[in-house]
Amino acid sequence: MGCFFSKKNKRKGKEPTAGEQPPQQQQQQQQQDVEGSKQYSWDKREKVDPKDYMFNGLKDQTVGRLPDKVAGQQFVIQECENCNIYILDHSATITIDDCTNCRIFLGPVKGSVFFRDCKDCKCIVACQQFRTRDCRKMDVFLCCATQPIIESSTGIKFGCFQYYYPELASQFKDAGLSIFNNTWSNIHDFTPVSGETNWSLLPSDCAVQNFVPLPDVEELKAVRISTDASRSIIPVTWGQRPKKSDESCLVVFFAGDYTIANARKMIDEMLGKGFSLIQTKEVAMKPEDAKRVFQDKASEFIPSLEKGSVVALEFNGDGAVENCQSVISNTFSGTKVFASENKSSSSHDVDNFYNFADMQMGI
């Protein structure tokens, strides 16, 4: 007996029962359910409370943030009086407003540090950009990648950043700052007054801890801080103070596995011999730059330029060239290093390199 099939049975799938959604609507609902349950990366981020990144209205207190507690966020310090403040981490930007008689340490800042309406403050600061406006009587130990700027400010004194704690080197990297790019003494005054000097350089023998003391609260004391210049993450440079000698020597290390360690070793050796480290710079060079700076020796160094930036050091003192050559031959044999060959050409080497570097970095 043959079977009889209705048209209804021949249709693919079954008819929805009463109260049931059609298949197409079911599929849409399932898709919505799946999407509703998805967790996107921006949903997982912890909500940032600005109050966690602010010191406001404090008086006679010692406060701070430990390494990894700021982690690249913006920070605000305002209306504090007679406080010791330590930001022992890297941050995006920091503004300091209306603070009086405070001692402040700011770890590496990827962007700008802006002091406004502050007076009688002593600070240690590392940043990409530094600016003061309407400030007076401030002492600043500074590492700044660009030219520091003061505006409508008086009695501002600058020294070279010197500080160490174990996490500081990695914080400089996280903030995108080179330990060798520090223009702390090359100040631009937006509002100069004829016959007056709004800023000056601190004596080279100033002890940082006499300006910003080590923290004395237990939580912050756990960070192993040193203000010994020989341990400073940033090489302590002479800057634009008058040079002691008319003889300088340029030394340039090329990119490699031990570039930073080699540069530090060179600095230690030369400082140990009584010479001054005037300035340092880390910058990328192209072959045409090398030809202009290193001239007839350029071909020897051009292949090394593709590996990364160079690190340049300027040493000063009678006999600087001879002593640099001696240290290089005794300590860095087999390492690509440029060094001035004689006193008569050394100042030209220094000018050539740093003129190029300042143009390259827009200083």
mmCIF file of all heavy atoms in Angstrom, residues 58-77:
data_model
loop_
_atom_site.group_PDB
_atom_site.id
_atom_site.type_symbol
_atom_site.label_atom_id
_atom_site.label_comp_id
_atom_site.label_asym_id
_atom_site.label_seq_id
_atom_site.Cartn_x
_atom_site.Cartn_y
_atom_site.Cartn_z
ATOM 1 N N LEU A 58 46.812 68.251 51.294
ATOM 2 C CA LEU A 58 47.514 67.634 52.419
ATOM 3 C C LEU A 58 48.424 68.658 53.114
ATOM 4 O O LEU A 58 48.938 69.580 52.483
ATOM 5 C CB LEU A 58 48.349 66.449 51.940
ATOM 6 C CG LEU A 58 47.596 65.344 51.178
ATOM 7 C CD1 LEU A 58 48.555 64.238 50.774
ATOM 8 C CD2 LEU A 58 46.451 64.793 52.013
ATOM 9 N N LYS A 59 48.641 68.443 54.412
ATOM 10 C CA LYS A 59 49.526 69.329 55.170
ATOM 11 C C LYS A 59 50.336 68.506 56.161
ATOM 12 O O LYS A 59 49.791 67.643 56.862
ATOM 13 C CB LYS A 59 48.707 70.393 55.902
ATOM 14 C CG LYS A 59 49.567 71.440 56.618
ATOM 15 C CD LYS A 59 48.713 72.561 57.195
ATOM 16 C CE LYS A 59 49.604 73.613 57.864
ATOM 17 N NZ LYS A 59 48.808 74.732 58.428
ATOM 18 N N ASP A 60 51.650 68.763 56.183
ATOM 19 C CA ASP A 60 52.558 68.126 57.148
ATOM 20 C C ASP A 60 52.499 66.604 57.082
ATOM 21 O O ASP A 60 52.484 65.924 58.118
ATOM 22 C CB ASP A 60 52.225 68.588 58.583
ATOM 23 C CG ASP A 60 52.304 70.101 58.746
ATOM 24 O OD1 ASP A 60 53.127 70.728 58.065
ATOM 25 O OD2 ASP A 60 51.527 70.641 59.553
ATOM 26 N N GLN A 61 52.463 66.059 55.880
ATOM 27 C CA GLN A 61 52.381 64.606 55.732
ATOM 28 C C GLN A 61 53.495 64.079 54.824
ATOM 29 O O GLN A 61 54.028 64.810 53.982
ATOM 30 C CB GLN A 61 51.028 64.191 55.151
ATOM 31 C CG GLN A 61 49.839 64.468 56.038
ATOM 32 C CD GLN A 61 48.560 63.879 55.475
ATOM 33 O OE1 GLN A 61 48.520 62.741 55.018
ATOM 34 N NE2 GLN A 61 47.487 64.666 55.504
ATOM 35 N N THR A 62 53.826 62.793 55.007
ATOM 36 C CA THR A 62 54.679 62.071 54.061
ATOM 37 C C THR A 62 53.805 61.038 53.366
ATOM 38 O O THR A 62 53.210 60.173 54.030
ATOM 39 C CB THR A 62 55.848 61.377 54.774
ATOM 40 O OG1 THR A 62 56.716 62.376 55.328
ATOM 41 C CG2 THR A 62 56.652 60.528 53.790
ATOM 42 N N VAL A 63 53.693 61.149 52.053
ATOM 43 C CA VAL A 63 52.812 60.264 51.278
ATOM 44 C C VAL A 63 53.538 59.815 50.017
ATOM 45 O O VAL A 63 54.560 60.403 49.617
ATOM 46 C CB VAL A 63 51.495 60.965 50.892
ATOM 47 C CG1 VAL A 63 50.661 61.278 52.122
ATOM 48 C CG2 VAL A 63 51.778 62.247 50.099
ATOM 49 N N GLY A 64 53.017 58.793 49.360
ATOM 50 C CA GLY A 64 53.655 58.343 48.128
ATOM 51 C C GLY A 64 52.894 57.221 47.460
ATOM 52 O O GLY A 64 51.850 56.759 47.936
ATOM 53 N N ARG A 65 53.433 56.794 46.325
ATOM 54 C CA ARG A 65 52.928 55.639 45.598
ATOM 55 C C ARG A 65 54.113 54.729 45.306
ATOM 56 O O ARG A 65 55.153 55.184 44.802
ATOM 57 C CB ARG A 65 52.250 56.051 44.300
ATOM 58 C CG ARG A 65 50.897 56.736 44.505
ATOM 59 C CD ARG A 65 49.829 55.772 44.983
ATOM 60 N NE ARG A 65 48.521 56.413 45.102
ATOM 61 C CZ ARG A 65 48.053 56.984 46.196
ATOM 62 N NH1 ARG A 65 48.812 57.011 47.287
ATOM 63 N NH2 ARG A 65 46.854 57.532 46.229
ATOM 64 N N LEU A 66 53.950 53.445 45.612
ATOM 65 C CA LEU A 66 55.012 52.465 45.418
ATOM 66 C C LEU A 66 55.135 52.067 43.951
ATOM 67 O O LEU A 66 54.215 52.311 43.153
ATOM 68 C CB LEU A 66 54.705 51.220 46.262
ATOM 69 C CG LEU A 66 54.792 51.398 47.778
ATOM 70 C CD1 LEU A 66 54.191 50.190 48.473
ATOM 71 C CD2 LEU A 66 56.233 51.621 48.214
ATOM 72 N N PRO A 67 56.241 51.428 43.562
ATOM 73 C CA PRO A 67 56.357 50.896 42.201
ATOM 74 C C PRO A 67 55.156 50.020 41.845
ATOM 75 O O PRO A 67 54.643 49.268 42.689
ATOM 76 C CB PRO A 67 57.662 50.079 42.259
ATOM 77 C CG PRO A 67 58.483 50.789 43.299
ATOM 78 C CD PRO A 67 57.496 51.244 44.324
ATOM 79 N N ASP A 68 54.675 50.152 40.606
ATOM 80 C CA ASP A 68 53.538 49.410 40.040
ATOM 81 C C ASP A 68 52.179 49.910 40.526
ATOM 82 O O ASP A 68 51.150 49.339 40.144
ATOM 83 C CB ASP A 68 53.639 47.901 40.324
ATOM 84 C CG ASP A 68 54.881 47.277 39.710
ATOM 85 O OD1 ASP A 68 55.262 47.718 38.608
ATOM 86 O OD2 ASP A 68 55.471 46.381 40.330
ATOM 87 N N LYS A 69 52.129 50.959 41.327
ATOM 88 C CA LYS A 69 50.848 51.439 41.837
ATOM 89 C C LYS A 69 50.276 52.604 41.027
ATOM 90 O O LYS A 69 49.119 52.966 41.199
ATOM 91 C CB LYS A 69 50.983 51.849 43.310
ATOM 92 C CG LYS A 69 51.336 50.706 44.249
ATOM 93 C CD LYS A 69 50.297 49.584 44.180
ATOM 94 C CE LYS A 69 50.624 48.467 45.158
ATOM 95 N NZ LYS A 69 49.654 47.341 45.045
ATOM 96 N N VAL A 70 51.080 53.197 40.175
ATOM 97 C CA VAL A 70 50.586 54.245 39.269
ATOM 98 C C VAL A 70 50.486 53.679 37.848
ATOM 99 O O VAL A 70 49.505 53.901 37.138
ATOM 100 C CB VAL A 70 51.483 55.493 39.296
ATOM 101 C CG1 VAL A 70 50.954 56.570 38.349
ATOM 102 C CG2 VAL A 70 51.579 56.051 40.713
ATOM 103 N N ALA A 71 51.517 52.945 37.454
ATOM 104 C CA ALA A 71 51.485 52.144 36.222
ATOM 105 C C ALA A 71 51.038 52.918 34.988
ATOM 106 O O ALA A 71 50.170 52.489 34.233
ATOM 107 C CB ALA A 71 50.602 50.911 36.431
ATOM 108 N N GLY A 72 51.605 54.109 34.815
ATOM 109 C CA GLY A 72 51.359 54.845 33.574
ATOM 110 C C GLY A 72 50.126 55.715 33.556
ATOM 111 O O GLY A 72 49.782 56.290 32.524
ATOM 112 N N GLN A 73 49.440 55.863 34.689
ATOM 113 C CA GLN A 73 48.269 56.739 34.748
ATOM 114 C C GLN A 73 48.694 58.202 34.922
ATOM 115 O O GLN A 73 49.841 58.496 35.230
ATOM 116 C CB GLN A 73 47.377 56.337 35.932
ATOM 117 C CG GLN A 73 46.789 54.952 35.834
ATOM 118 C CD GLN A 73 45.754 54.820 34.735
ATOM 119 O OE1 GLN A 73 45.108 55.799 34.355
ATOM 120 N NE2 GLN A 73 45.598 53.615 34.216
ATOM 121 N N GLN A 74 47.738 59.109 34.712
ATOM 122 C CA GLN A 74 47.974 60.521 35.019
ATOM 123 C C GLN A 74 47.910 60.721 36.529
ATOM 124 O O GLN A 74 47.206 59.983 37.221
ATOM 125 C CB GLN A 74 46.927 61.402 34.345
ATOM 126 C CG GLN A 74 46.946 61.333 32.832
ATOM 127 C CD GLN A 74 45.922 62.246 32.194
ATOM 128 O OE1 GLN A 74 45.270 63.032 32.867
ATOM 129 N NE2 GLN A 74 45.778 62.141 30.885
ATOM 130 N N PHE A 75 48.621 61.726 37.018
ATOM 131 C CA PHE A 75 48.616 61.986 38.460
ATOM 132 C C PHE A 75 48.486 63.490 38.687
ATOM 133 O O PHE A 75 48.982 64.290 37.886
ATOM 134 C CB PHE A 75 49.898 61.458 39.111
ATOM 135 C CG PHE A 75 49.719 61.044 40.547
ATOM 136 C CD1 PHE A 75 49.462 59.731 40.872
ATOM 137 C CD2 PHE A 75 49.792 61.988 41.580
ATOM 138 C CE1 PHE A 75 49.269 59.337 42.203
ATOM 139 C CE2 PHE A 75 49.603 61.614 42.898
ATOM 140 C CZ PHE A 75 49.344 60.279 43.205
ATOM 141 N N VAL A 76 47.829 63.838 39.794
ATOM 142 C CA VAL A 76 47.621 65.248 40.145
ATOM 143 C C VAL A 76 48.034 65.468 41.598
ATOM 144 O O VAL A 76 47.662 64.692 42.482
ATOM 145 C CB VAL A 76 46.131 65.641 39.972
ATOM 146 C CG1 VAL A 76 45.895 67.061 40.493
ATOM 147 C CG2 VAL A 76 45.713 65.535 38.507
ATOM 148 N N ILE A 77 48.824 66.526 41.820
ATOM 149 C CA ILE A 77 49.206 66.943 43.173
ATOM 150 C C ILE A 77 48.792 68.401 43.316
ATOM 151 O O ILE A 77 49.213 69.238 42.509
ATOM 152 C CB ILE A 77 50.727 66.793 43.392
ATOM 153 C CG1 ILE A 77 51.164 65.336 43.173
ATOM 154 C CG2 ILE A 77 51.119 67.265 44.787
ATOM 155 C CD1 ILE A 77 52.679 65.141 43.133
#
